[in-house]
Amino acid sequence: MLRSAGRLAAACVALLALSLLAPAFAEPAPPADAGRLAMTLAPPRVEGDVDLFDLTPDGTHAIFLTREFGRVQQAYSVRTDGTAAPQLLVAGSNPSPELLAVSNARLLYATYEASSQRALALVVRSVPLDGSAPPTQLDRVDEVGSLGPTTLTPGGQLVYALTTGRGGNVVQQLRSVPADGSGPVALLLSLPGGVAGPFWTIGGAARDQ
């Protein structure tokens, strides 16, 4: 009788121990972010560096780009909460594109293309971050010398400085255009520049363009 009671007590102790150890052998719970997507670039793969260009003002998207030998190859946007795959926004060109600014909805960039004046033309474009539409051309300036400082106003206007012309006919301009392409380009300032080119300033600090 005593032996039976002892065996029963030992069995109970063993079952209690197994119940306490069971969580240690159970399958681990999936991580909280298991449903989020990994950030994988689609082929073709590019050998080179990946740089973070900027975050949108509201922090919902990150803009990053790939470089090869220092030249921009592609620009992507991706949601910072990891709930969507990256969107290819800009494919590389020769010369490589120059990223200008980013709003909560659009990326603005410039490319240099062949012009009828046997010089490079500056083409400014805008593309939605979600990839829902192709790039929109905002401005084209033939015989451009260089692109100066750019900024995006809270109201959605891209303001940018540039030089155009050659030799003694260099002109420095300040231009503005809605980032979504909903309006025409406005010429804010146009001044003759010297052969050495004009000086643009950012916050009072000189920048030779």
mmCIF file with all atom_site columns, all heavy atoms in Angstrom, residues 166-195:
data_model
loop_
_atom_site.group_PDB
_atom_site.id
_atom_site.type_symbol
_atom_site.label_atom_id
_atom_site.label_alt_id
_atom_site.label_comp_id
_atom_site.label_asym_id
_atom_site.label_entity_id
_atom_site.label_seq_id
_atom_site.pdbx_PDB_ins_code
_atom_site.Cartn_x
_atom_site.Cartn_y
_atom_site.Cartn_z
_atom_site.occupancy
_atom_site.B_iso_or_equiv
_atom_site.pdbx_formal_charge
_atom_site.auth_seq_id
_atom_site.auth_comp_id
_atom_site.auth_asym_id
_atom_site.auth_atom_id
_atom_site.pdbx_PDB_model_num
ATOM 1   N N   . ARG A 1 166 ? 27.186 79.722 -72.954 1.00 0.00 ? 166 ARG A N   1
ATOM 2   C CA  . ARG A 1 166 ? 28.615 79.426 -73.031 1.00 0.00 ? 166 ARG A CA  1
ATOM 3   C C   . ARG A 1 166 ? 29.399 80.711 -73.297 1.00 0.00 ? 166 ARG A C   1
ATOM 4   O O   . ARG A 1 166 ? 28.857 81.705 -73.768 1.00 0.00 ? 166 ARG A O   1
ATOM 5   C CB  . ARG A 1 166 ? 28.890 78.401 -74.139 1.00 0.00 ? 166 ARG A CB  1
ATOM 6   C CG  . ARG A 1 166 ? 28.406 77.002 -73.831 1.00 0.00 ? 166 ARG A CG  1
ATOM 7   C CD  . ARG A 1 166 ? 28.744 76.025 -74.950 1.00 0.00 ? 166 ARG A CD  1
ATOM 8   N NE  . ARG A 1 166 ? 27.959 76.289 -76.146 1.00 0.00 ? 166 ARG A NE  1
ATOM 9   C CZ  . ARG A 1 166 ? 28.064 75.590 -77.276 1.00 0.00 ? 166 ARG A CZ  1
ATOM 10  N NH1 . ARG A 1 166 ? 28.946 74.611 -77.365 1.00 0.00 ? 166 ARG A NH1 1
ATOM 11  N NH2 . ARG A 1 166 ? 27.303 75.878 -78.326 1.00 0.00 ? 166 ARG A NH2 1
ATOM 12  N N   . GLY A 1 167 ? 30.692 80.612 -72.994 1.00 0.00 ? 167 GLY A N   1
ATOM 13  C CA  . GLY A 1 167 ? 31.576 81.742 -73.251 1.00 0.00 ? 167 GLY A CA  1
ATOM 14  C C   . GLY A 1 167 ? 31.162 82.986 -72.484 1.00 0.00 ? 167 GLY A C   1
ATOM 15  O O   . GLY A 1 167 ? 30.916 82.939 -71.274 1.00 0.00 ? 167 GLY A O   1
ATOM 16  N N   . GLY A 1 168 ? 31.056 84.103 -73.186 1.00 0.00 ? 168 GLY A N   1
ATOM 17  C CA  . GLY A 1 168 ? 30.665 85.349 -72.533 1.00 0.00 ? 168 GLY A CA  1
ATOM 18  C C   . GLY A 1 168 ? 29.177 85.527 -72.422 1.00 0.00 ? 168 GLY A C   1
ATOM 19  O O   . GLY A 1 168 ? 28.710 86.595 -72.014 1.00 0.00 ? 168 GLY A O   1
ATOM 20  N N   . ASN A 1 169 ? 28.401 84.502 -72.794 1.00 0.00 ? 169 ASN A N   1
ATOM 21  C CA  . ASN A 1 169 ? 26.935 84.603 -72.754 1.00 0.00 ? 169 ASN A CA  1
ATOM 22  C C   . ASN A 1 169 ? 26.332 83.777 -71.626 1.00 0.00 ? 169 ASN A C   1
ATOM 23  O O   . ASN A 1 169 ? 25.196 83.315 -71.729 1.00 0.00 ? 169 ASN A O   1
ATOM 24  C CB  . ASN A 1 169 ? 26.349 84.138 -74.087 1.00 0.00 ? 169 ASN A CB  1
ATOM 25  C CG  . ASN A 1 169 ? 26.803 85.002 -75.247 1.00 0.00 ? 169 ASN A CG  1
ATOM 26  O OD1 . ASN A 1 169 ? 26.836 86.227 -75.134 1.00 0.00 ? 169 ASN A OD1 1
ATOM 27  N ND2 . ASN A 1 169 ? 27.165 84.368 -76.365 1.00 0.00 ? 169 ASN A ND2 1
ATOM 28  N N   . VAL A 1 170 ? 27.095 83.572 -70.570 1.00 0.00 ? 170 VAL A N   1
ATOM 29  C CA  . VAL A 1 170 ? 26.596 82.789 -69.443 1.00 0.00 ? 170 VAL A CA  1
ATOM 30  C C   . VAL A 1 170 ? 25.527 83.584 -68.693 1.00 0.00 ? 170 VAL A C   1
ATOM 31  O O   . VAL A 1 170 ? 25.693 84.774 -68.424 1.00 0.00 ? 170 VAL A O   1
ATOM 32  C CB  . VAL A 1 170 ? 27.749 82.423 -68.489 1.00 0.00 ? 170 VAL A CB  1
ATOM 33  C CG1 . VAL A 1 170 ? 27.215 81.724 -67.241 1.00 0.00 ? 170 VAL A CG1 1
ATOM 34  C CG2 . VAL A 1 170 ? 28.740 81.510 -69.211 1.00 0.00 ? 170 VAL A CG2 1
ATOM 35  N N   . VAL A 1 171 ? 24.420 82.921 -68.387 1.00 0.00 ? 171 VAL A N   1
ATOM 36  C CA  . VAL A 1 171 ? 23.326 83.540 -67.639 1.00 0.00 ? 171 VAL A CA  1
ATOM 37  C C   . VAL A 1 171 ? 23.053 82.687 -66.413 1.00 0.00 ? 171 VAL A C   1
ATOM 38  O O   . VAL A 1 171 ? 23.047 81.454 -66.486 1.00 0.00 ? 171 VAL A O   1
ATOM 39  C CB  . VAL A 1 171 ? 22.044 83.634 -68.501 1.00 0.00 ? 171 VAL A CB  1
ATOM 40  C CG1 . VAL A 1 171 ? 20.889 84.203 -67.690 1.00 0.00 ? 171 VAL A CG1 1
ATOM 41  C CG2 . VAL A 1 171 ? 22.304 84.503 -69.730 1.00 0.00 ? 171 VAL A CG2 1
ATOM 42  N N   . GLN A 1 172 ? 22.858 83.333 -65.289 1.00 0.00 ? 172 GLN A N   1
ATOM 43  C CA  . GLN A 1 172 ? 22.497 82.618 -64.072 1.00 0.00 ? 172 GLN A CA  1
ATOM 44  C C   . GLN A 1 172 ? 21.010 82.826 -63.810 1.00 0.00 ? 172 GLN A C   1
ATOM 45  O O   . GLN A 1 172 ? 20.495 83.942 -63.898 1.00 0.00 ? 172 GLN A O   1
ATOM 46  C CB  . GLN A 1 172 ? 23.322 83.098 -62.884 1.00 0.00 ? 172 GLN A CB  1
ATOM 47  C CG  . GLN A 1 172 ? 23.392 84.602 -62.687 1.00 0.00 ? 172 GLN A CG  1
ATOM 48  C CD  . GLN A 1 172 ? 24.326 84.976 -61.561 1.00 0.00 ? 172 GLN A CD  1
ATOM 49  O OE1 . GLN A 1 172 ? 24.422 84.268 -60.573 1.00 0.00 ? 172 GLN A OE1 1
ATOM 50  N NE2 . GLN A 1 172 ? 25.014 86.098 -61.714 1.00 0.00 ? 172 GLN A NE2 1
ATOM 51  N N   . GLN A 1 173 ? 20.321 81.725 -63.507 1.00 0.00 ? 173 GLN A N   1
ATOM 52  C CA  . GLN A 1 173 ? 18.877 81.777 -63.345 1.00 0.00 ? 173 GLN A CA  1
ATOM 53  C C   . GLN A 1 173 ? 18.452 81.109 -62.054 1.00 0.00 ? 173 GLN A C   1
ATOM 54  O O   . GLN A 1 173 ? 19.115 80.190 -61.563 1.00 0.00 ? 173 GLN A O   1
ATOM 55  C CB  . GLN A 1 173 ? 18.178 81.082 -64.524 1.00 0.00 ? 173 GLN A CB  1
ATOM 56  C CG  . GLN A 1 173 ? 18.400 81.751 -65.864 1.00 0.00 ? 173 GLN A CG  1
ATOM 57  C CD  . GLN A 1 173 ? 17.660 81.050 -66.981 1.00 0.00 ? 173 GLN A CD  1
ATOM 58  O OE1 . GLN A 1 173 ? 17.174 79.925 -66.836 1.00 0.00 ? 173 GLN A OE1 1
ATOM 59  N NE2 . GLN A 1 173 ? 17.555 81.713 -68.134 1.00 0.00 ? 173 GLN A NE2 1
ATOM 60  N N   . LEU A 1 174 ? 17.330 81.585 -61.544 1.00 0.00 ? 174 LEU A N   1
ATOM 61  C CA  . LEU A 1 174 ? 16.641 80.940 -60.437 1.00 0.00 ? 174 LEU A CA  1
ATOM 62  C C   . LEU A 1 174 ? 15.252 80.601 -60.934 1.00 0.00 ? 174 LEU A C   1
ATOM 63  O O   . LEU A 1 174 ? 14.507 81.476 -61.385 1.00 0.00 ? 174 LEU A O   1
ATOM 64  C CB  . LEU A 1 174 ? 16.570 81.881 -59.222 1.00 0.00 ? 174 LEU A CB  1
ATOM 65  C CG  . LEU A 1 174 ? 16.079 81.260 -57.916 1.00 0.00 ? 174 LEU A CG  1
ATOM 66  C CD1 . LEU A 1 174 ? 17.047 80.194 -57.427 1.00 0.00 ? 174 LEU A CD1 1
ATOM 67  C CD2 . LEU A 1 174 ? 15.903 82.344 -56.847 1.00 0.00 ? 174 LEU A CD2 1
ATOM 68  N N   . ARG A 1 175 ? 14.891 79.311 -60.883 1.00 0.00 ? 175 ARG A N   1
ATOM 69  C CA  . ARG A 1 175 ? 13.649 78.848 -61.463 1.00 0.00 ? 175 ARG A CA  1
ATOM 70  C C   . ARG A 1 175 ? 12.821 78.101 -60.419 1.00 0.00 ? 175 ARG A C   1
ATOM 71  O O   . ARG A 1 175 ? 13.345 77.637 -59.406 1.00 0.00 ? 175 ARG A O   1
ATOM 72  C CB  . ARG A 1 175 ? 13.923 77.929 -62.665 1.00 0.00 ? 175 ARG A CB  1
ATOM 73  C CG  . ARG A 1 175 ? 14.756 78.595 -63.743 1.00 0.00 ? 175 ARG A CG  1
ATOM 74  C CD  . ARG A 1 175 ? 15.335 77.601 -64.722 1.00 0.00 ? 175 ARG A CD  1
ATOM 75  N NE  . ARG A 1 175 ? 14.380 77.146 -65.717 1.00 0.00 ? 175 ARG A NE  1
ATOM 76  C CZ  . ARG A 1 175 ? 14.234 77.668 -66.930 1.00 0.00 ? 175 ARG A CZ  1
ATOM 77  N NH1 . ARG A 1 175 ? 14.985 78.696 -67.299 1.00 0.00 ? 175 ARG A NH1 1
ATOM 78  N NH2 . ARG A 1 175 ? 13.357 77.178 -67.786 1.00 0.00 ? 175 ARG A NH2 1
ATOM 79  N N   . SER A 1 176 ? 11.530 77.958 -60.683 1.00 0.00 ? 176 SER A N   1
ATOM 80  C CA  . SER A 1 176 ? 10.617 77.289 -59.755 1.00 0.00 ? 176 SER A CA  1
ATOM 81  C C   . SER A 1 176 ? 9.572  76.526 -60.565 1.00 0.00 ? 176 SER A C   1
ATOM 82  O O   . SER A 1 176 ? 9.125  76.993 -61.623 1.00 0.00 ? 176 SER A O   1
ATOM 83  C CB  . SER A 1 176 ? 9.939  78.315 -58.842 1.00 0.00 ? 176 SER A CB  1
ATOM 84  O OG  . SER A 1 176 ? 8.920  77.713 -58.060 1.00 0.00 ? 176 SER A OG  1
ATOM 85  N N   . VAL A 1 177 ? 9.176  75.352 -60.046 1.00 0.00 ? 177 VAL A N   1
ATOM 86  C CA  . VAL A 1 177 ? 8.156  74.556 -60.717 1.00 0.00 ? 177 VAL A CA  1
ATOM 87  C C   . VAL A 1 177 ? 7.460  73.689 -59.671 1.00 0.00 ? 177 VAL A C   1
ATOM 88  O O   . VAL A 1 177 ? 8.096  73.238 -58.714 1.00 0.00 ? 177 VAL A O   1
ATOM 89  C CB  . VAL A 1 177 ? 8.794  73.674 -61.823 1.00 0.00 ? 177 VAL A CB  1
ATOM 90  C CG1 . VAL A 1 177 ? 9.722  72.627 -61.243 1.00 0.00 ? 177 VAL A CG1 1
ATOM 91  C CG2 . VAL A 1 177 ? 7.727  73.022 -62.693 1.00 0.00 ? 177 VAL A CG2 1
ATOM 92  N N   . PRO A 1 178 ? 6.139  73.454 -59.803 1.00 0.00 ? 178 PRO A N   1
ATOM 93  C CA  . PRO A 1 178 ? 5.460  72.549 -58.870 1.00 0.00 ? 178 PRO A CA  1
ATOM 94  C C   . PRO A 1 178 ? 6.049  71.143 -58.970 1.00 0.00 ? 178 PRO A C   1
ATOM 95  O O   . PRO A 1 178 ? 6.270  70.626 -60.065 1.00 0.00 ? 178 PRO A O   1
ATOM 96  C CB  . PRO A 1 178 ? 4.002  72.584 -59.340 1.00 0.00 ? 178 PRO A CB  1
ATOM 97  C CG  . PRO A 1 178 ? 3.854  73.867 -60.083 1.00 0.00 ? 178 PRO A CG  1
ATOM 98  C CD  . PRO A 1 178 ? 5.176  74.099 -60.728 1.00 0.00 ? 178 PRO A CD  1
ATOM 99  N N   . ALA A 1 179 ? 6.278  70.512 -57.832 1.00 0.00 ? 179 ALA A N   1
ATOM 100 C CA  . ALA A 1 179 ? 6.917  69.195 -57.801 1.00 0.00 ? 179 ALA A CA  1
ATOM 101 C C   . ALA A 1 179 ? 6.072  68.123 -58.476 1.00 0.00 ? 179 ALA A C   1
ATOM 102 O O   . ALA A 1 179 ? 6.612  67.121 -58.951 1.00 0.00 ? 179 ALA A O   1
ATOM 103 C CB  . ALA A 1 179 ? 7.209  68.797 -56.352 1.00 0.00 ? 179 ALA A CB  1
ATOM 104 N N   . ASP A 1 180 ? 4.762  68.306 -58.526 1.00 0.00 ? 180 ASP A N   1
ATOM 105 C CA  . ASP A 1 180 ? 3.896  67.297 -59.150 1.00 0.00 ? 180 ASP A CA  1
ATOM 106 C C   . ASP A 1 180 ? 3.595  67.601 -60.611 1.00 0.00 ? 180 ASP A C   1
ATOM 107 O O   . ASP A 1 180 ? 2.815  66.900 -61.246 1.00 0.00 ? 180 ASP A O   1
ATOM 108 C CB  . ASP A 1 180 ? 2.584  67.166 -58.374 1.00 0.00 ? 180 ASP A CB  1
ATOM 109 C CG  . ASP A 1 180 ? 1.797  68.473 -58.309 1.00 0.00 ? 180 ASP A CG  1
ATOM 110 O OD1 . ASP A 1 180 ? 2.253  69.490 -58.885 1.00 0.00 ? 180 ASP A OD1 1
ATOM 111 O OD2 . ASP A 1 180 ? 0.726  68.482 -57.669 1.00 0.00 ? 180 ASP A OD2 1
ATOM 112 N N   . GLY A 1 181 ? 4.215  68.646 -61.154 1.00 0.00 ? 181 GLY A N   1
ATOM 113 C CA  . GLY A 1 181 ? 4.002  68.991 -62.553 1.00 0.00 ? 181 GLY A CA  1
ATOM 114 C C   . GLY A 1 181 ? 2.673  69.632 -62.856 1.00 0.00 ? 181 GLY A C   1
ATOM 115 O O   . GLY A 1 181 ? 2.260  69.677 -64.013 1.00 0.00 ? 181 GLY A O   1
ATOM 116 N N   . SER A 1 182 ? 1.990  70.147 -61.844 1.00 0.00 ? 182 SER A N   1
ATOM 117 C CA  . SER A 1 182 ? 0.649  70.707 -62.040 1.00 0.00 ? 182 SER A CA  1
ATOM 118 C C   . SER A 1 182 ? 0.663  72.127 -62.586 1.00 0.00 ? 182 SER A C   1
ATOM 119 O O   . SER A 1 182 ? -0.397 72.694 -62.851 1.00 0.00 ? 182 SER A O   1
ATOM 120 C CB  . SER A 1 182 ? -0.114 70.684 -60.713 1.00 0.00 ? 182 SER A CB  1
ATOM 121 O OG  . SER A 1 182 ? 0.575  71.441 -59.724 1.00 0.00 ? 182 SER A OG  1
ATOM 122 N N   . GLY A 1 183 ? 1.829  72.719 -62.765 1.00 0.00 ? 183 GLY A N   1
ATOM 123 C CA  . GLY A 1 183 ? 1.912  74.087 -63.256 1.00 0.00 ? 183 GLY A CA  1
ATOM 124 C C   . GLY A 1 183 ? 3.185  74.303 -64.052 1.00 0.00 ? 183 GLY A C   1
ATOM 125 O O   . GLY A 1 183 ? 4.076  73.450 -64.071 1.00 0.00 ? 183 GLY A O   1
ATOM 126 N N   . PRO A 1 184 ? 3.284  75.450 -64.717 1.00 0.00 ? 184 PRO A N   1
ATOM 127 C CA  . PRO A 1 184 ? 4.449  75.726 -65.556 1.00 0.00 ? 184 PRO A CA  1
ATOM 128 C C   . PRO A 1 184 ? 5.666  76.160 -64.732 1.00 0.00 ? 184 PRO A C   1
ATOM 129 O O   . PRO A 1 184 ? 5.568  76.451 -63.544 1.00 0.00 ? 184 PRO A O   1
ATOM 130 C CB  . PRO A 1 184 ? 3.958  76.871 -66.450 1.00 0.00 ? 184 PRO A CB  1
ATOM 131 C CG  . PRO A 1 184 ? 2.961  77.597 -65.586 1.00 0.00 ? 184 PRO A CG  1
ATOM 132 C CD  . PRO A 1 184 ? 2.279  76.529 -64.776 1.00 0.00 ? 184 PRO A CD  1
ATOM 133 N N   . VAL A 1 185 ? 6.799  76.214 -65.405 1.00 0.00 ? 185 VAL A N   1
ATOM 134 C CA  . VAL A 1 185 ? 8.037  76.708 -64.787 1.00 0.00 ? 185 VAL A CA  1
ATOM 135 C C   . VAL A 1 185 ? 7.958  78.230 -64.674 1.00 0.00 ? 185 VAL A C   1
ATOM 136 O O   . VAL A 1 185 ? 7.503  78.910 -65.599 1.00 0.00 ? 185 VAL A O   1
ATOM 137 C CB  . VAL A 1 185 ? 9.259  76.307 -65.629 1.00 0.00 ? 185 VAL A CB  1
ATOM 138 C CG1 . VAL A 1 185 ? 10.531 76.908 -65.051 1.00 0.00 ? 185 VAL A CG1 1
ATOM 139 C CG2 . VAL A 1 185 ? 9.367  74.790 -65.715 1.00 0.00 ? 185 VAL A CG2 1
ATOM 140 N N   . ALA A 1 186 ? 8.395  78.743 -63.539 1.00 0.00 ? 186 ALA A N   1
ATOM 141 C CA  . ALA A 1 186 ? 8.467  80.189 -63.339 1.00 0.00 ? 186 ALA A CA  1
ATOM 142 C C   . ALA A 1 186 ? 9.927  80.609 -63.286 1.00 0.00 ? 186 ALA A C   1
ATOM 143 O O   . ALA A 1 186 ? 10.726 80.006 -62.551 1.00 0.00 ? 186 ALA A O   1
ATOM 144 C CB  . ALA A 1 186 ? 7.756  80.586 -62.048 1.00 0.00 ? 186 ALA A CB  1
ATOM 145 N N   . LEU A 1 187 ? 10.294 81.598 -64.081 1.00 0.00 ? 187 LEU A N   1
ATOM 146 C CA  . LEU A 1 187 ? 11.644 82.142 -64.052 1.00 0.00 ? 187 LEU A CA  1
ATOM 147 C C   . LEU A 1 187 ? 11.666 83.256 -63.017 1.00 0.00 ? 187 LEU A C   1
ATOM 148 O O   . LEU A 1 187 ? 11.098 84.328 -63.213 1.00 0.00 ? 187 LEU A O   1
ATOM 149 C CB  . LEU A 1 187 ? 12.036 82.666 -65.434 1.00 0.00 ? 187 LEU A CB  1
ATOM 150 C CG  . LEU A 1 187 ? 13.434 83.266 -65.574 1.00 0.00 ? 187 LEU A CG  1
ATOM 151 C CD1 . LEU A 1 187 ? 14.503 82.251 -65.200 1.00 0.00 ? 187 LEU A CD1 1
ATOM 152 C CD2 . LEU A 1 187 ? 13.645 83.784 -66.990 1.00 0.00 ? 187 LEU A CD2 1
ATOM 153 N N   . LEU A 1 188 ? 12.318 83.007 -61.884 1.00 0.00 ? 188 LEU A N   1
ATOM 154 C CA  . LEU A 1 188 ? 12.313 83.951 -60.776 1.00 0.00 ? 188 LEU A CA  1
ATOM 155 C C   . LEU A 1 188 ? 13.394 85.012 -60.919 1.00 0.00 ? 188 LEU A C   1
ATOM 156 O O   . LEU A 1 188 ? 13.224 86.142 -60.458 1.00 0.00 ? 188 LEU A O   1
ATOM 157 C CB  . LEU A 1 188 ? 12.508 83.207 -59.458 1.00 0.00 ? 188 LEU A CB  1
ATOM 158 C CG  . LEU A 1 188 ? 11.549 82.044 -59.173 1.00 0.00 ? 188 LEU A CG  1
ATOM 159 C CD1 . LEU A 1 188 ? 11.871 81.410 -57.824 1.00 0.00 ? 188 LEU A CD1 1
ATOM 160 C CD2 . LEU A 1 188 ? 10.102 82.494 -59.236 1.00 0.00 ? 188 LEU A CD2 1
ATOM 161 N N   . LEU A 1 189 ? 14.521 84.636 -61.534 1.00 0.00 ? 189 LEU A N   1
ATOM 162 C CA  . LEU A 1 189 ? 15.659 85.545 -61.622 1.00 0.00 ? 189 LEU A CA  1
ATOM 163 C C   . LEU A 1 189 ? 16.505 85.148 -62.818 1.00 0.00 ? 189 LEU A C   1
ATOM 164 O O   . LEU A 1 189 ? 16.726 83.968 -63.067 1.00 0.00 ? 189 LEU A O   1
ATOM 165 C CB  . LEU A 1 189 ? 16.505 85.461 -60.346 1.00 0.00 ? 189 LEU A CB  1
ATOM 166 C CG  . LEU A 1 189 ? 17.778 86.297 -60.296 1.00 0.00 ? 189 LEU A CG  1
ATOM 167 C CD1 . LEU A 1 189 ? 17.433 87.789 -60.192 1.00 0.00 ? 189 LEU A CD1 1
ATOM 168 C CD2 . LEU A 1 189 ? 18.650 85.875 -59.121 1.00 0.00 ? 189 LEU A CD2 1
ATOM 169 N N   . SER A 1 190 ? 16.987 86.141 -63.584 1.00 0.00 ? 190 SER A N   1
ATOM 170 C CA  . SER A 1 190 ? 17.887 85.890 -64.696 1.00 0.00 ? 190 SER A CA  1
ATOM 171 C C   . SER A 1 190 ? 18.885 87.030 -64.781 1.00 0.00 ? 190 SER A C   1
ATOM 172 O O   . SER A 1 190 ? 18.501 88.184 -65.025 1.00 0.00 ? 190 SER A O   1
ATOM 173 C CB  . SER A 1 190 ? 17.099 85.774 -66.011 1.00 0.00 ? 190 SER A CB  1
ATOM 174 O OG  . SER A 1 190 ? 17.960 85.455 -67.080 1.00 0.00 ? 190 SER A OG  1
ATOM 175 N N   . LEU A 1 191 ? 20.149 86.700 -64.553 1.00 0.00 ? 191 LEU A N   1
ATOM 176 C CA  . LEU A 1 191 ? 21.204 87.714 -64.527 1.00 0.00 ? 191 LEU A CA  1
ATOM 177 C C   . LEU A 1 191 ? 22.367 87.271 -65.393 1.00 0.00 ? 191 LEU A C   1
ATOM 178 O O   . LEU A 1 191 ? 22.701 86.086 -65.434 1.00 0.00 ? 191 LEU A O   1
ATOM 179 C CB  . LEU A 1 191 ? 21.705 87.935 -63.096 1.00 0.00 ? 191 LEU A CB  1
ATOM 180 C CG  . LEU A 1 191 ? 20.698 88.481 -62.078 1.00 0.00 ? 191 LEU A CG  1
ATOM 181 C CD1 . LEU A 1 191 ? 21.317 88.464 -60.691 1.00 0.00 ? 191 LEU A CD1 1
ATOM 182 C CD2 . LEU A 1 191 ? 20.277 89.897 -62.456 1.00 0.00 ? 191 LEU A CD2 1
ATOM 183 N N   . PRO A 1 192 ? 23.005 88.215 -66.082 1.00 0.00 ? 192 PRO A N   1
ATOM 184 C CA  . PRO A 1 192 ? 24.189 87.842 -66.867 1.00 0.00 ? 192 PRO A CA  1
ATOM 185 C C   . PRO A 1 192 ? 25.331 87.461 -65.935 1.00 0.00 ? 192 PRO A C   1
ATOM 186 O O   . PRO A 1 192 ? 25.511 88.026 -64.856 1.00 0.00 ? 192 PRO A O   1
ATOM 187 C CB  . PRO A 1 192 ? 24.507 89.116 -67.652 1.00 0.00 ? 192 PRO A CB  1
ATOM 188 C CG  . PRO A 1 192 ? 23.897 90.219 -66.839 1.00 0.00 ? 192 PRO A CG  1
ATOM 189 C CD  . PRO A 1 192 ? 22.682 89.640 -66.195 1.00 0.00 ? 192 PRO A CD  1
ATOM 190 N N   . GLY A 1 193 ? 26.100 86.458 -66.357 1.00 0.00 ? 193 GLY A N   1
ATOM 191 C CA  . GLY A 1 193 ? 27.245 86.019 -65.562 1.00 0.00 ? 193 GLY A CA  1
ATOM 192 C C   . GLY A 1 193 ? 28.514 86.152 -66.361 1.00 0.00 ? 193 GLY A C   1
ATOM 193 O O   . GLY A 1 193 ? 28.498 86.260 -67.594 1.00 0.00 ? 193 GLY A O   1
ATOM 194 N N   . GLY A 1 194 ? 29.646 86.154 -65.672 1.00 0.00 ? 194 GLY A N   1
ATOM 195 C CA  . GLY A 1 194 ? 30.931 86.284 -66.338 1.00 0.00 ? 194 GLY A CA  1
ATOM 196 C C   . GLY A 1 194 ? 31.404 84.957 -66.898 1.00 0.00 ? 194 GLY A C   1
ATOM 197 O O   . GLY A 1 194 ? 30.756 83.922 -66.766 1.00 0.00 ? 194 GLY A O   1
ATOM 198 N N   . VAL A 1 195 ? 32.548 84.992 -67.546 1.00 0.00 ? 195 VAL A N   1
ATOM 199 C CA  . VAL A 1 195 ? 33.111 83.788 -68.143 1.00 0.00 ? 195 VAL A CA  1
ATOM 200 C C   . VAL A 1 195 ? 33.398 82.743 -67.077 1.00 0.00 ? 195 VAL A C   1
ATOM 201 O O   . VAL A 1 195 ? 33.256 81.548 -67.289 1.00 0.00 ? 195 VAL A O   1
ATOM 202 C CB  . VAL A 1 195 ? 34.402 84.144 -68.914 1.00 0.00 ? 195 VAL A CB  1
ATOM 203 C CG1 . VAL A 1 195 ? 35.068 82.886 -69.461 1.00 0.00 ? 195 VAL A CG1 1
ATOM 204 C CG2 . VAL A 1 195 ? 34.089 85.102 -70.053 1.00 0.00 ? 195 VAL A CG2 1
#
